Amino acid sequence: MKRILFLAFISSALFSCQNDVKSIENPIAVTYTQTQKTDTVDTYFGTEVPDPYRWLEDDRSPETEDWVKRQNQVTYGYLDTIPFRAQLKERLEKLWNYEKIGAPFKEGDYTYFYKNNGLQNQYVIYRYKTGDDPETATVFLNPNTFAEDGTISLGGASFSEDGSVLAYSISEGGSDWRKILIMYTESKKIVEDTLVDVKFSGMSWYKNEGFYYSSYDKPEGSELSAKTDQHKVYYHKLGTPQSEDALIYGGTPKEKHRYIYGNVSRDNRFLTISPRVSTSGNKLYIKDLTKPNSDLVTILDHTNSDTYLITNVGSKLILSTNLNAPNQRVVTVDASDPRPENWVDIIPETKNVLNASTGGGSIFASYMVDAVSKVMQYDYDGNLIREVALPGVGSVGGFGGKKEETELYYSFSNYKTPGSTYKYDIKTGTSELFRKPEIDFNSDNYESKQVFYTSKDGTKVPMIITHKKGIELNGKNPTILYGYGGFNVSLTPGFSIANAVWMEQGGVYAVPNLRGGGEYGKEWHDAGTKMQKQNVFDDFIAAAEYLIAEKYTSSDYLAIRGGSNGGLLVGATMTQRPDLMKVALPAVGVMDMLRYHTFTAGAGWAYDYGTAEDSKEMFEYLKGYSPVHNVKEGVSYPATLVTTGDHDDRVVPAHSFKFAAELQAKQAGDAPTLIRIETDAGHGAGTPVSKTIEQYADIYGFTLYNMGYKVLPGKVKG
């Protein structure tokens, strides 16, 4: 669920001036397709719970396929009638069409980088001989050739120690199930058979001999929705078939975990195994690869913390952990006896959340200070070298690399500043601008400010509000309130093309840092989990009330949006407070809280949610906010556009299907409740640019139209 779908929002231009309107004079007529109901009933702790749309969980049935087609016909029939939808798409394409280049990285004799010319569906990997002019770079791997429509994407890429071999994974139709291909980098020839049935996996090389990866046994039934809960780590030796891959961990009932990852240290000395039963907390084991047939040594035998190896110097291990340190600390210990009682702090916990990385022989401690980045550079003994001078107030990413590097690259961005790449000299601590995108957007015309508002229980919650300078606080600004609030995910400031166009037209974009996220460490995360999940919804509702009270917007001009766990946030908020917003935009949401754990890897989300099988109290709590179970007859819900993908095997589309069916059956008002189901698309990762632009045009055309606009609200931009 982490890092799951952080879409940024809306757009247009090509706009004409428009007077304020509060209602649609000639609303688009909607005739919903009928959704069959069945008598399915589940019993939890003596309570019967009807599930009339259970049949929609069968993603392979002809009936479900027919329902999807009929729903899309209704939805696109509505969207096709919105007068400015084509203008939205045109403006999105125009602004999206600029060159985007990632930070360079060295592998073997070459320097590589990712590049998108503008509207390419997938990024392309280029390379040039290190030391040569970067202008001599040529295409190394072009994922746009994988499928004509861009629906096969590059999932990940990992080079062997000397850079001579590449293992890369591909995703078909957005699925989490991946295939791994192996290529000789000099000749660019594919070698060996493709590895199949790989899921939730990295590829970690041991020298040039092979790599570790993770997967599940193929489930019975639909691979898009059937439960998968025993992850396994394998070692693939080059030149051997996948059937001979060595099972390293996860093959016995004692080793059963929902997620297990294997990673090799950069010096090839150690393998760490990190088993998890949920998305938070891991055990940790280490194996000395220099000793044949060595045993796994236990570092942690419980899942009460998030702990991982940052780097090592010989047998000296350097770990990052939140064990007894909710905001994370960095410790060192010898591999001969790496138990916690032997750990020694080298970067102690502070009041700010730490994320540690290494490069060029230094440790870079990236802190979140009220969701804004601050970076400190330390040596391996924990001695402070310097605070890194950043280009401004915002978010940085990077500060990672090999030990022998003398310079690193990092990215900088915020809600109004397009992401730029900087080159950092590790010895001197100086940064220089390496690459700035050429985009037709003037950041100086916009402002971003952080406010702190009070939630229902008195908790202070930060929120960043971004908009064009000089807007009038009259309660009539179209506003998007975006949230997530879960899984220790931190929403830090970042630029988006779609946000830029939204703000060009006078739109307000607001992002609160809700409990359940990671902005203030483990305690902040835990305060939005299980029996405290309502805190997240209360924080979001309070954010909306703040924006209304301060006249940024009003309920007539407010849209709420979120994806995945954020889709749950939107679903719960709109069913608890349907009066609060004009438009609701839940994307790939977790909507059935009584059954989410029965699909794919959903049981791994129980740390955040709990399950309906845990206890009567937990069942009643989940049922109390589960969006599917809280749509009520006779209630006027906001205009709602549910979005999902038919190949989403992380949050299966049945969640969205059942929620949309409930809304359509019970909506008392005139506002449309539609579902847009993207075909050959998954949870969001790898979605082709062309599909992304179409989705934004549809979503925000729907949003503005239902806020009462008959033409787009801004001035035409040439």
Side-chain angles (χ1 to χ4, degrees), residues 26-40:
N26 299 300
I28 300 169
V30 180
T31 301
Y32 299 113
T33 183
Q34 293 298 309
T35 304
Q36 176 190 357
K37 292 185 177 181
T38 65
D39 296 327
T40 304

Side-chain angles (χ1 to χ4, degrees), residues 532-549:
Q532 300 186 94
K533 188 65 179 176
Q534 184 62 39
N535 287 337
V536 185
F537 314 139
D538 289 342
D539 289 355
F540 201 52
I541 289 167
E545 291 174 336
Y546 176 91
L547 292 168
I548 293 169

Side-chain angles (χ1 to χ4, degrees), residues 346 377-385:
I346 56 174
Q377 182 180 350
Y378 293 88
D379 66 21
Y380 282 176
D381 293 320
N383 298 307
L384 177 64
I385 298 174

Side-chain angles (χ1 to χ4, degrees), residues 66 179 265 268 366 438 556 573 639 644 709-710:
D66 177 65
K179 296 177 179 177
S265 60
N268 293 296
S366 296
E438 296 182 5
D556 287 326
T573 301
T644 189
Y709 293 101
K710 289 177 277 187

